[in-house]
């Protein structure tokens, strides 16, 4: 079951705005606002799998997704911090 399906199952009354094509990059839900949270690194991976170069993927996200305001339920986009051992 995908993360978006889990969210819909747990919160059926909640109407969330999704970034089209990036369901695999959803990592959570912000509890106070009900906004979806996306991992930007995973979003880049989605675009790389679609055939974009790393540079083009970053440019696409910056121009078309991360800076787009689509209302008060605009999703949140984060950079995660990975631990290195």
């Amino acid at each position: 079951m995908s993360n978006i399906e889990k969210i819909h199952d747990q919160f059926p009354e909640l109407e969330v705005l999704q970034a089209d094509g990036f369901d695999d990059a959803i990592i959570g839900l912000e509890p106070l606002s009900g906004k979806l949270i996306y991992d930007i690194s995973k979003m880049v991976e989605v675009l790389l799998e679609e055939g974009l170069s790393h540079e083009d993927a970053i440019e696409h996200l910056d121009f078309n997704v991360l800076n787009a305001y689509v209302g008060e339920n605009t999703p949140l986009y984060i950079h995660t911090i990975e631990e290195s051992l």
Side-chain angles (χ1 to χ4, degrees):
M1 178 180 284
S2 71
N3 285 346
I4 190 64
E5 291 171 328
K6 291 176 188 175
I7 289 169
H8 285 307
D9 282 350
Q10 291 178 11
F11 307 97
E13 73 289 348
L14 189 63
E15 292 185 33
V16 295
L17 287 178
Q18 293 176 246
D20 291 337
F22 294 105
D23 287 355
D24 290 341
I26 295 170
I27 59 169
L29 182 71
E30 198 282 319
L32 297 177
S33 67
K35 295 178 181 183
L36 289 177
I37 303 171
Y38 289 85
D39 181 333
I40 294 171
S41 296
K42 290 182 179 187
M43 296 175 84
V44 170
E45 288 176 22
V46 168
L47 294 172
L48 292 175
E49 290 173 6
E50 291 180 0
L52 272 67
S53 69
H54 190 268
E55 183 178 319
D56 288 343
I58 297 295
E59 184 176 321
H60 173 80
L61 286 175
D62 282 343
F63 186 76
N64 297 303
V65 181
L66 303 179
N67 291 311
Y69 178 76
V70 291
E72 67 181 48
N73 291 328
T74 299
L76 302 172
Y77 306 101
I78 65 167
H79 286 287
T80 56
I81 299 171
E82 297 180 26
E83 290 187 41
S84 58
L85 300 175

